[in-house]
Amino acid sequence: MPTIEHKLNITEEEVPEHIRRLAQEQGECPSSKDKVIEQFRNYILEHNECQPHRNDARYLEKFLRARYWKIENSYKLLCSYYKFREQNKSFYEKVRPLDLRHVGQSDILTVTPYRDQHGHRILIYRFGLWRPNRVTVDDIFRATIILQELGSLEPISQIVGGVGIFDLKDLGLEHILHLSPSVAQKMIALLVTSMPIRTSALHIVNQNWLFNAAFKIFKPFLNAAMRERLYIHGSDMTSLHKHINPEHLPKRYGGLHEDYSYTLWLDMLKEQCSGNSIQKDMEQLGFIFDQA
């Protein structure tokens, strides 16, 4: 197995040819791309329902890719994104990503440094490991947002989206008590409706008898399209393997990979991104990277 490296693929040159073909199937046309971006920019100015902090081509392109280059739908996503930011300023402003190591050390969530057979990165939550007295719900949201924002910088991820695995092993009442409708709504906003990166599928594994109680909280916020992309596997990993090849899964799900901590992404931010475009993009969103 090749060496696994925590590295963002942020250049267009890193997009494989088969992903480029998929982008064209989704409505992206190299010859007219600049024209569509300019139309989108004018549409934003004309409607004036939200004020993006940037309107350069690289920034607008990820919203267009997330909604298959349909300007009206891309604009709805843009407004939804900024509405979420306005309503949840504490998830962005003055947040120091490098201070969230305790989330990674708890192994509650991570994103794979590798991609599955379709090019997706895999966002994995292990809610049974969550100790609410040590890690707050808000810190889980902050950590999720950082991963989503980083992923949205990658052209490959902009085109193919990502997938999520909710591992509910050892889910207990202490967790359910913290899953209010407000929490569920915010989680779905991040994974489905309000970020410039698509969630192509959500997979539930290792659920126990408490799952029905949790699902009742989340279900009202799932749109019809997302319900069709929600798969419940129980402990049957062969069912999961029908969607994600075992070559691209951790060993705990019948795969070949080790577990990779969220803190490794924070190390990447600290060591590889100091002063570069990734850090600047994140700082424009309100995140702080100084060592104070």
Side-chain angles (χ1 to χ4, degrees):
M1 184 178 294
T3 302
I4 298 298
E5 183 180 12
H6 283 69
K7 178 180 179 293
L8 294 177
N9 308 121
I10 62 170
T11 67
E12 292 288 339
E13 289 73 19
E14 295 175 277
V15 180
E17 185 58 36
H18 71 283
I19 301 294
R20 293 184 188 277
R21 290 195 298 269
L22 176 62
Q24 292 184 37
E25 292 172 10
Q26 294 175 350
E28 181 172 330
C29 178
S31 62
S32 63
K33 178 192 291 189
D34 291 344
K35 180 179 179 181
V36 176
I37 291 173
E38 182 62 23
Q39 289 173 343
F40 185 35
R41 186 181 290 116
N42 291 334
Y43 191 95
I44 294 168
L45 293 173
E46 290 167 4
H47 288 75
N48 199 31
E49 293 175 26
C50 60
Q51 301 291 332
H53 69 287
R54 291 170 54 181
N55 70 352
D56 57 279
R58 186 169 71 91
Y59 186 71
L60 296 183
E61 184 176 36
K62 65 182 182 179
F63 288 91
L64 288 163
R65 280 175 164 164
R67 291 298 181 266
Y68 304 106
W69 292 83
K70 298 183 186 302
I71 288 178
E72 185 176 347
N73 291 345
S74 300
Y75 182 68
K76 289 178 180 177
L77 173 62
L78 182 78
C79 291
S80 179
Y81 171 76
Y82 278 94
K83 181 179 180 181
F84 182 87
R85 281 178 51 83
E86 180 63 27
Q87 293 175 342
N88 299 280
K89 291 182 178 180
S90 66
F91 294 165
Y92 285 89
E93 295 180 359
K94 300 181 180 179
V95 172
R96 298 177 183 272
L98 302 183
D99 288 348
L100 292 172
R101 299 189 72 85
H102 64 293
V103 180
Q105 290 162 353
S106 298
D107 289 325
I108 302 168
L109 81 158
T110 192
V111 164
T112 57
Y114 50 85
R115 299 177 185 273
D116 72 6
Q117 70 271 23
H118 302 296
H120 306 121
R121 292 198 190 272
I122 307 169
L123 175 64
I124 302 173
Y125 289 92
R126 298 171 64 194
F127 285 115
L129 298 179
W130 176 31
R131 297 296 174 262
N133 62 330
R134 300 178 190 172
V135 178
T136 67
V137 172
D138 282 357
D139 275 349
I140 293 176
F141 280 127
R142 292 181 183 109
T144 300
I145 286 169
I146 289 165
L147 292 175
Q148 294 279 71
E149 291 288 1
L150 288 173
S152 78
L153 299 177
E154 299 185 295
I156 298 173
S157 297
Q158 293 168 8
I159 294 166
V160 303
V163 298
I165 294 177
F166 281 25
D167 185 343
L168 304 185
K169 182 180 180 181
D170 297 327
L171 187 74
L173 285 172
E174 65 171 323
H175 306 119
I176 299 296
L177 292 174
H178 287 80
L179 296 180
S180 66
S182 174
V183 168
Q185 186 175 24
K186 290 174 184 176
M187 182 63 73
I188 297 303
L190 288 181
L191 296 179
V192 182
T193 62
S194 302
M195 293 294 287
I197 183 169
R198 291 190 306 276
T199 299
S200 299
L202 287 174
H203 299 279
I204 309 295
V205 300
N206 297 323
Q207 73 273 12
N208 60 21
W209 63 276
L210 284 169
F211 169 70
N212 288 336
F215 189 57
K216 285 181 180 178
I217 300 171
F218 280 86
K219 189 174 181 179
F221 305 107
L222 289 170
N223 58 31
M226 197 65 240
R227 291 182 192 183
E228 292 179 359
R229 300 195 297 273
L230 177 67
Y231 304 95
I232 302 172
H233 304 286
S235 58
D236 181 9
M237 295 306 145
T238 60
S239 175
L240 178 63
H241 297 167
K242 294 176 182 177
H243 302 269
I244 304 175
N245 191 300
E247 294 180 11
H248 311 294
L249 284 168
K251 292 178 180 177
R252 69 178 60 257
Y253 306 123
L256 302 179
H257 288 276
E258 304 297 332
D259 292 318
Y260 296 99
S261 172
Y262 177 86
T263 57
L264 294 171
W265 284 113
L266 297 181
D267 291 340
M268 181 277 297
L269 275 173
K270 181 179 180 180
E271 296 169 8
Q272 301 175 27
C273 300
S274 179
N276 71 9
S277 63
I278 295 173
Q279 189 177 110
K280 290 176 182 177
D281 283 344
M282 298 293 281
E283 287 176 337
Q284 287 178 348
L285 296 172
F287 297 111
I288 297 175
F289 286 90
D290 62 42
Q291 301 301 311

